[in-house]
Structures are given as structure tokens and as C-alpha cells.
Amino acid sequence: MKKVFSLLMALTTVFVLSACLPGRGGAEVVINIPDEFPEEDVEILMWHAFGDDNMALLDEIFDDFKEIYPNVSIRHLGQGGYDGLRQSTIQGTVAGSTPTMVFGYPDHFVEYLNGNSLIPLDEYIAHPEFGVELDDYIEGFLLENQQYLDGLQYSMPFAKSTEMVVYNKTVFDHYGIEFSLDEAISFDDLEQIVADHDILGSGEWQAPHLFNVDSESNFFINSSQQWNAGYTTAEGEILFDNPTTQDMLDYYRDLMDRNILTLPIEWDENYGSIPFKDGRVLMSQGSTAGTRHNVPDQPTGRFGIFEMSIMPVVQYDLENRSAIQQGPNIAIMADTTDAERLAAWELLKFMTNPENTAFFAMNTGYVPVRESAFDDEAYQEFLAIADYTRQELLDEGRFDDADRLPFAQAARVAQAQVPYYTFEPPFVGRVTSSNVRSEVGLMMEAIYAETRTVEQALQRALRELGQ
Amino acid sequence: MLEDQSNVKAWLYLLPALILLSIFIFYPILNAIFLVFVEDYNYQTGHYVGFTLTQNFRYVVGDFNFRRAMLNTMLITFVSVPVSVIIALLISVWLNAIKKLQGFFQTVFFLPYVTNAIAIGMAFAFLFNRSYGLINWFLGIFGVSPINWVGMGASWGNAMFSLLVYVTWLGLAFKIMVFLSGLQGIDKQYYDAARVDSASRGRVFRRITVPLLSPMIMYITVTSFIGAFKAYTEVIGMFGERLGPPGDDRALITVVALVYRALDRSGVPGALSEAAAAALILFAVTLVFTYINMQVSKKRVHY
Amino acid sequence: MDEAVYGNEKQIKRKQMIRLGVVYAFIVFFALFIIIPFYWMVITAFKTETEVFTSPPILFIGLDPRNWQWGNFGAALEQAPFMRFTLNTVVVAIIATIGTVLTTILSAFAFARLNFKGREVLFLIFIATMMIPGEIFVITNFITVARLGWVALDQTYFQALLAMTIPFMTSIFYIFFLRQAFKTIPDELYYAAKVDGKSDWQYLWRVMVPIAIPTLTTITILNAMNTWNAYIWPRLVTQQEDYRLVSNGLRDAFDDTLGVIMYHEQMSAAIIVTVPLIIAFILLKKYIMRGVSRSGIKG
């Protein structure tokens, strides 16, 4: 027995000691771009969090790539959602099994950078032969990927989504109110609508609520931008402990009192699409990626199957516009050979070239990341669908286009907002940028539910964030 | 000599389990203990700044949510476990006693085990819905006005009550299965003797069934308490990441939720140590209660 | 005299009927309570997408089977290679369960029947390890499994199987359970076997295990269920979609771009995946209910 015990002790001591050995990550990254594209077989492994539908589209793009570079094979593996992807990547770094390329958001990438597991792309971008002109990429999207503390660029935008407002065209037509695909309205305009028309209520052409916002976090972050109230910095400073933010929240609380502004929790929902289709709210601001869910299909709703249309995100100050941008980016990982890196870089460029980014966008609801994508012929045709109403398209026998109308409208709105996209800087620490994002969302919920006053909710959020 | 032999023999029987447990249970725990005492451990590189005795514990205990997490965890543990055990015991005993449809009901009570967790969450969200939920409908028959159980602005008390019902429900299937298997081990002779003595059902239950089932009752009680201390996924199942009704985030936060919150930042130096610290604090509390639990049980358990 | 006896018997019978009625009522009440989510799962599987997202939720989808959305099942199967996942899960479940049952029997025997120094202390240590939340183990175990070379990027199916089964070949949870069951077996049986010249090993396998079949069956079912529900670990340690298990398919295959889950398809898949389990349970449950008469020992 003693022998067995001492054997056990020896085993565990060995294990404990080996626990002190560093993980595989941490080696310094050296960039060495070959002069010529590799001729040997190269395998690219890609980790992602897409569903099967989106992946199928990417497969088409990969097939085209293979025709140009037959020696490159591409393999991809889904890791559940983005949380699972992040966990797998971090675990992979420690265990020494990471992929060639990984999708993600900048706040994931900064975590990976703590393990030195991404390569900076600057030399690839600037390379005389393999480089790329950054001018053609939409500036806001690029900036989001250039926020890393050491000033280097570790990721490139892949597909972006933004927010839009779906509205009940049938009801607004009744009141003679028109909105535009390209021009945003303001909260003043919303207040004006309610003042001029008897639109709130439970009558025949009325609804209990006017305007829903799906993402509380986005709403706060975007509004902070619209009000110039300050949100966070790339160093992790929290800026919204100020009177402007207080005023902003008081203003929105007042709108909530008047049933002008609502959140999905009003109906115990996560999104406003169901109440919107049901006719319980007349407008809903949400992601362009969620277009599909806002197409009216509830015959038993208050307005039956009504006509819907889309317009840009509501602004506070039309002189200082802002719309949030979201959507995955791509990075190349460090535990790779030079050949793999170059192949991955070429693939990255290919996936985001104007033709492919337009293709992906058209079929998903994401936004292209290249300005010249908007000139792509197929994309132009697609966008032009939004010039018609559904009825007009049906009358002309363009049934497919009638189905694609909402997506075309969403794409037009996204294009209109290009000049003023905004994003939040990523950072890590005891408090991360995604912690802040969650916290402000919860704060909005508490303000809406009136479980806390604006003052209390703000203080509580700040406290949770260690302020 | 004889003793040495039986010692060696026993350890040989234990060896397969011990080897596996050493690698996959003891070693991670030792690692966690190591993590608790280092500062700013970077999980991805293995690099750390230095050692610290209490910093990580102070992070956890200093968190504003810590006290509430402890309170919620205790409440969940000390309410849902006894209730669940008693209900499961009654169901098992009575299931054992009926002749007709016994097999059918046994399958019915097993179904929660194979029901998709998301479906369970959705079903309970529906049950407790303030406008059209089954419970409010039922209460409405007695003239009780609709209660806001888990909806926007629901009170902590209502939300906690709903959670307790949910947790109790979740625990039933497993307990019933264990009790049923245990009831088979009771020699029919005892029941025959009791029938000859025409003892009442209550007496049979208290004097024969419960004592003879006591090993299983103890097992269920100890493991259920330990499991309840680790409550977290149940809260997520009912309330999502918010851990509370809309507007009252973290109302039902538990200690394990603190662990997960730290683990979520595993790429950030020092996060894992915080998670380990929270886990160890919970461990200490659970250990104390379990020890008491087992000492008390020892007197009541008959083999 | 006879009439008095008859009268009594009638009274007793009525009491028994009432008692039986109460028992059935209690069981039916709880059975209904228990079955609600299962019912929910089933009707959701048969709804259309619109019906799934209607609010207030639809409780009855009508009794006409022609209105039920059988198409959901086909669509669900297309979303992910469920046959493959189910096969993987069965393989992992069998291996892990056999391993678990074996190590559990041996260890429970040591704790229940053998006297050795440090028994109570070791048992308490074992129990103590249950008090630490599972995620803590995942981190270290992943590194361990990586060091063993089982999760490299060019992982083979065999290596994936090793990674998914070896860490789960024993469980203190079940050792405790079986120990309790073993401890209820009377000492007399043991002494009688010793007198007969049987070794511990023989006693264990010839006497204790057969008596503990209900417990062992329960352990088998529970272990299989755990494999069915395993999600995080299998996803983490597999490097190919084809190696993954059923829960991975169920949870990952059904959200669209926005992350909204297609519940009707997901529930259809859940049912498809669940049916074999229910069948297995129905076949095995009689072993749980089987009691072994112990009256044999006396005499």
C-alpha cells in the first residue's frame, strides 16, 4: 500500500511540475513571404461559426479558387457559435493544434494576440506582387481591423452586416407617411409622426407601440456615437460616465414612456420580428442579417399579411449620423508555414474580391466589403429590385425578384449607410470590450423595465465594469 | 500479513479507476490549485508574473455579485433537493406498488431524460408565462390574478420560485430511476411479514421501506446536494445568459456562474485563476456541508 | 357471523380501492407534469416555421395527421449527417459504458466489501472531487489529451475515439452508487461463499453482480444518456465534422445567419435521435425492476 501511495505521489508530482511548463503558444512571429507562390501541395484549414447555408456559398467560392491554384486544398470545420469558436481557438493555441485561418471579431482576435497566435498582415498587404489596394475596401470596415494596440493589422473584413429599420408600409401609407431607402429619419421625426397622427393605440389603423429596437447594446453604442457622448477607447477606458449620456438615457426613457420606443422584452421576446409581423409594433430596428424573419407571414396578425419596407437606422442628429457595423473578419494564424500563410493570404484576397464579396452579400444579407462590389453588374441588378414595390414586381411576373425584394431593400439601406459606419474598439483586461457591450445592453433593459431608474442603471453598469 | 495482503488486493481492485482518476480528475484539480496561487497567468503562453496567496480569492469575494451568488446557490440547494427527493421517493414507492401500467409509467417518468434540453426550457418558459401560461391559467380558476413569474420586471421571489420548480422537476427523473432500482433490492420477505402483522401502509413505509432504502436515499441526498451547489446550467436554461428576468439581470446568479464568467475570458491573463478560485471556494463550502450530511446519514443508514 | 365478516371485507376492499385510486391520481398528476416538455418537443417538431414563432404559442396542432409537418423530419436529416453522428455516439457510448461498468464494479467492490487501510479517507477524497464544477476539468484534460497526441490536426478516427472515451471510462458518481447497492447485500452471503472456498473474485462476479443487475442497468442507461448529451468535449477534441456526436449535430445545425434557431427542424432531429433511446430503455427497464429473491440463503 505504501508503495502504491508513493507511486501515486510521484506521478502527481510529475504532473504538477509539467503544469508549470509553458504552453505551445508564445513563440515570436517572423514574417517571411516567399518570392513565388508555392507549387507544392498546401492544405488550408479554416475554422468558422457559419451555418450550413452560408458555408455552401463559401464552398462555391472555394471551388473557383481551386481552379486558379489546383495545388491548394481547403478544409473547413465549424465550431458551433462564435463562443465555441473562440474557446476552441484558445484551447488549440495551448495544445498546439490551430488552423490556418480563423473567422472572428476583433475582440476575439485581441485575446488570441495574448497568445501571439496571429500574424500581422501588413507586409502581405504592401507586398509588390501579392499585395492589395486597401483603398477599395470600405473604410469603416478596414478601420475596425486596424485597432490593435501595437498598430499592426491582424485581420481583414470578410462580410459585414449593419442595422436597418423595417416598417409597416401598409399602415404608414394609410396616413400618407413616406420613408426613403436612402435617407434616414430622426427621433424628432418619430415624435412628429405621433404628434400629427393618431397612430398609437389599439384601433384599426393603430398599434400599441411605434418603434422597436432589437439590440439594446447596439442601440446604446450607436446612440453614444450619435450624441457624441463617448463610449470606450482602445485602451479600455470607459467614457460614458458623463452628463451627456445621462441626458441621452433620460431622453430615451421619455420616449419609452410614450410608447414610441420599445425593446423586445416588452413581449418577452429576443427580437422584435414576431411582434412586428403580428402588428403590435409598426417599426423594428435590427440586423440586416435578420431580414428574412421580418417578412410578414402571419395572417392572424393585427394587419394580416401587410406590405413592409425598409429604411436606414433612425438618427438623433441628422448632422452627425451613425450606424453600427458588425460581421465576421478573417485572421491568419501563426502556427503555420510560410507557404500556408501565402496561400491563406491569396484565399483571403480572393474571398473578398469585388465579385465574390458581392456574390456572398447578395445571397445572405451581409454587406460587401469592397466599394467596387457595388459596381458589380449582378449586384447592381440586385439592388435595382428595390426601386419597385412588391406589387409592381408581381404584376410584371418577376416572382423571384418579388421574393428577393426585402433583401435588395436591406442591401440598399446598407449601402446608404456606408459613409457613417461606426464600431467599438476591442480590448481585453479584467473587463473586456464584450463585457462592456453586454453590460450596457442589460442597462437598457433595466431602464426599460423600470426596475431601476436611469441613474441607478447607469451606476450599476459602471460598478459591474469596475468603475 | 493477512492485512497486508488484503490491502494490496483492495488497491489492485481500485487500480484501473485510480489510474484514470489520477490523470483526468486529480491532476486537473492539482492544476487548479496551482492556478489559484499564481498571478496573471497567461493560459496561451503559460507565462505568469508571480505568485500570490490571496489575490485571486479577493477578486472573487470582492465581486459585488458574490454574496447574492452564495445566497441563491444555498437557496436552490436547500430547497430543491429535499423537495425533489421526497416527491421522487413517493412516486417511486407508489410506482413500485401498482401492478397495472407500471411499465408504462416507468417509461413516462424516464422521458425527461431524453427530452431535448431546449424543449424543456421552452416548455417551462411557456408554463410560467404571465399572459398565457398554464400556471396562471390554473390559478385563474381560483380567482387569482395573473402573476409575473419570469417576465419583464418579475420580482426575485417569483423568479426564484419558478427556478426552484424547474430545478426540482429536472432532478426527478434520475432520482426515480435510482429509487426504483433500489426498491428491487428490498427482500420481499419483509413485506410479507408486515402483511401478516397487518401493519398499516404508513408504518410499512416508515419502518421498512425507508430504512431499507436508506443507502440509496443517502446516495441521492449527498450527490444531489453536491450537484445543486453547482447549479448554473439550470438558470441558463430558464433565463438565458442574463441569469434573471428581463430588467433584473443576475438576479439568480450562482457561484458556478462566477466560474463561467471568468472562464469566458480564458484568453485574458489571470482569468483562469479567478475561475479556479471561485471553484475552490465553492468546493470548500460544499465539502463542509457534505461532511455534515454524511455524518448525519451514517446514523440513519442501514445496510 | 358470516355477515359480519362479509361486511368487514367489503369495507376493507373499498378502503383499498380508494387508496389505489389516490395512488393512481397522484402518479397521473405527476406524470402529466413530467410529460409536458416532451409533448412540447413533439408538437414543435410537427409545426410549420410560422407556427413555431407565433405568439401566444400554439398548443394543439389538430388531430389530423395530414396537417402535421412530416417534412420537417426530412429537412432535419439533411442539415447534418445524423446517421453518422448517431453511429459515432453509439460507438462511443458502448466503449465508455463498458469501461465505466468494469472499473465501477471493481472499485465499488473494494469500497463495499474489502477492508483496507485508508478506505474511508479515500472514499471521502473521491466524493470531494465531485464538488468541483466540470468546466475546470475540461481545460486541463484537453491539454492532457493533446499531449497524448490524440487531438492533432491530422487526427484519425481512432484517436478521436480515444479522446472521447478514455477520460470517461470511470465515474465516482457511479462508484458511489454501486457501493451503496453492494453494501445492502448481507454479510452472510459473503461468509457463506468464503466457507465454500470461493475467492473474492468469484464472489464478486457470481453473486454480487447478478444481485446488483438493477443498479448496473441503471448505470448503463445513465452513462449512455451522458454520451448522447455530450456536447462541449466532443466538439473540442474532434478535428473532423465526421467524428462528432449527435448533440453536436443537434445544436449546431439549426441556426441561420442571425442565429435564430429553426426549432421545428431541431425538434424533429431531436425526436429522431431520441427514439432509439426510448426503445433501448423500454427493452432494458425490466432489468431495473427485476428483484432477486434472497430467501435462498436461509437454509
Side-chain angles (χ1 to χ4, degrees), chain C residues 84 87-89 91-92 155-162 164 242-244:
Chain C
R84 177 82 226 191
L87 182 65
N88 291 343
T89 314
V91 169
V92 170
Q155 182 194 52
T156 65
Y157 185 55
F158 181 62
Q159 287 170 328
L161 279 182
L162 287 175
M164 288 193 279
D242 283 342
Y243 300 163
R244 290 184 168 163

Side-chain angles (χ1 to χ4, degrees), chain A residues 1 91 111 439 445 451, chain B residues 11 43-44 242 247 250 264:
Chain A
M1 202 272 295
Q91 294 278 43
E111 274 192 67
E439 215 52 59
E445 283 185 355
T451 50
Chain B
W11 287 99
Y43 179 51
Q44 292 175 98
R242 200 192 285 117
R250 301 194 185 98
D264 201 44

Side-chain angles (χ1 to χ4, degrees), chain A residues 142-162:
Chain A
L142 267 187
L143 280 175
E144 188 188 342
N145 289 290
Q146 291 168 340
Q147 290 280 307
Y148 304 103
L149 274 183
D150 60 4
L152 298 175
Q153 179 163 348
Y154 288 95
S155 53
M156 291 285 281
F158 169 65
K160 290 289 156 188
S161 64
T162 180

Side-chain angles (χ1 to χ4, degrees), chain C:
Chain C
M1 256 271 271
D2 277 352
E3 278 171 6
V5 171
Y6 263 141
N8 252 346
E9 273 193 25
K10 256 204 191 152
Q11 267 190 330
I12 294 178
K13 262 234 162 88
R14 192 184 306 159
K15 257 200 191 166
Q16 281 184 340
M17 293 294 288
I18 295 179
R19 207 173 270 134
L20 204 61
V22 167
V23 170
Y24 268 103
F26 182 81
I27 292 194
V28 168
F29 172 72
F30 270 101
L32 283 175
F33 182 46
I34 284 270
I35 215 173
I36 292 175
F38 186 78
Y39 172 72
W40 190 273
M41 182 170 85
V42 172
I43 59 164
T44 305
F46 284 103
K47 287 183 182 173
T48 64
E49 185 178 339
T50 317
E51 286 173 334
V52 169
F53 292 109
T54 311
S55 170
I58 297 178
L59 286 181
F60 298 109
I61 50 175
L63 291 172
D64 186 357
R66 281 169 298 174
N67 283 338
W68 300 349
Q69 301 296 315
W70 297 95
N72 287 342
F73 291 93
L77 286 178
E78 274 173 38
Q79 292 288 23
F82 278 107
M83 290 298 115
R84 177 82 226 191
F85 288 154
T86 309
L87 182 65
N88 291 343
T89 314
V90 168
V91 169
V92 170
I94 290 180
I95 300 177
T97 305
I98 292 179
T100 305
V101 167
L102 288 176
T103 58
T104 305
I105 290 178
L106 294 175
S107 310
F109 180 65
F111 279 118
R113 182 102 307 267
L114 299 178
N115 278 319
F116 59 96
K117 241 204 301 185
R119 188 176 77 167
E120 295 310 308
V121 172
L122 188 63
F123 191 59
L124 197 61
I125 294 180
F126 272 28
I127 305 240
T129 63
M130 288 199 283
M131 303 177 195
I132 301 190
E135 279 286 338
I136 298 277
F137 299 102
V138 168
I139 304 172
T140 309
N141 285 341
F142 182 74
I143 300 179
T144 305
V145 151
R147 288 215 184 105
L148 288 166
W150 294 342
V151 292
L153 290 174
D154 58 356
Q155 182 194 52
T156 65
Y157 185 55
F158 181 62
Q159 287 170 328
L161 279 182
L162 287 175
M164 288 193 279
T165 55
I166 304 284
F168 304 103
M169 293 275 233
T170 193
S171 164
I172 295 176
F173 201 61
Y174 301 137
I175 294 177
F176 188 4
F177 186 20
L178 192 60
R179 169 213 191 240
Q180 300 301 91
F182 276 175
K183 282 193 108 165
T184 61
I185 298 176
D187 293 339
E188 292 83 46
L189 278 177
Y190 184 56
Y191 299 143
K194 283 276 138 177
V195 161
D196 275 353
K198 292 225 175 79
S199 72
D200 280 338
W201 184 260
Q202 287 172 312
Y203 176 64
L204 169 62
W205 293 99
R206 299 271 174 84
V207 181
M208 292 191 98
V209 167
I211 293 181
I213 289 282
T215 308
L216 287 169
T217 312
T218 308
I219 291 178
T220 306
I221 294 176
L222 291 175
N223 204 284
M225 292 304 315
N226 280 340
T227 314
W228 229 259
N229 289 326
Y231 174 72
I232 294 184
W233 184 256
R235 193 198 69 214
L236 212 52
V237 302
T238 48
Q239 300 291 2
Q240 302 262 14
E241 186 78 20
D242 283 342
Y243 300 163
R244 290 184 168 163
L245 303 188
V246 129
S247 240
N248 302 116
L250 269 181
R251 285 208 230 170
D252 291 343
F254 296 104
D255 35 345
D256 69 349
T257 332
L258 193 60
V260 177
I261 303 175
M262 297 290 102
Y263 289 116
H264 50 308
E265 289 178 10
Q266 191 181 38
M267 293 305 134
S268 322
I271 291 182
I272 296 174
V273 151
T274 297
V275 164
L277 285 177
I278 300 182
I279 295 178
F281 178 75
I282 294 179
L283 291 174
L284 286 176
K285 66 178 163 62
K286 63 175 185 283
Y287 293 105
I288 301 181
M289 299 308 276
R290 194 177 83 181
V292 174
S293 171
R294 312 277 189 74
S295 51
I297 14 161
K298 310 255 164 112

Side-chain angles (χ1 to χ4, degrees), chain A residues 1 4-5 8 12 15-16 18-26 83 86 89-91 93-94 111-117 265-266 268 270 428-432 435 439 442-443 445-446 448-449 451-452 460 463-464, chain B residues 7-8 11 15 18 22-23 26-27 30-31 34 41-48 59-60 63-65 68 129-132 150-154 241-242 245-251 261 264-269 274:
Chain A
M1 202 272 295
V4 179
F5 242 151
L8 270 176
T12 48
F15 278 130
V16 170
S18 60
C20 305
L21 292 175
R24 298 270 197 99
D83 276 339
R86 192 160 51 99
T89 308
I90 291 182
Q91 294 278 43
T93 305
V94 182
E111 274 192 67
Y112 304 158
L113 283 175
N114 273 335
N116 285 347
S117 53
I265 56 177
E266 167 69 32
D268 293 326
N270 283 330
V428 285
R430 280 207 73 224
V431 167
T432 65
N435 289 150
E439 215 52 59
L442 293 173
M443 176 177 76
E445 283 185 355
Y448 185 80
T451 50
R452 292 173 210 138
R460 152 105 175 205
R463 191 190 70 179
E464 288 292 332
Chain B
N7 273 341
V8 170
W11 287 99
L15 202 59
L18 273 179
S22 296
I23 303 177
F26 294 129
Y27 172 49
L30 288 171
N31 237 351
F34 165 72
Y41 180 74
N42 185 330
Y43 179 51
Q44 292 175 98
T45 61
H47 180 250
Y48 54 92
Y59 276 143
V60 175
D63 189 329
F64 289 108
N65 294 302
R68 181 187 293 207
N129 188 288
R130 54 187 153 150
S131 325
Y132 45 74
V150 298
M152 181 174 77
E241 301 278 332
R242 200 192 285 117
D248 197 5
D249 49 280
R250 301 194 185 98
R261 205 175 54 170
D264 201 44
R265 286 181 281 125
S266 57
V268 178
E274 246 184 89

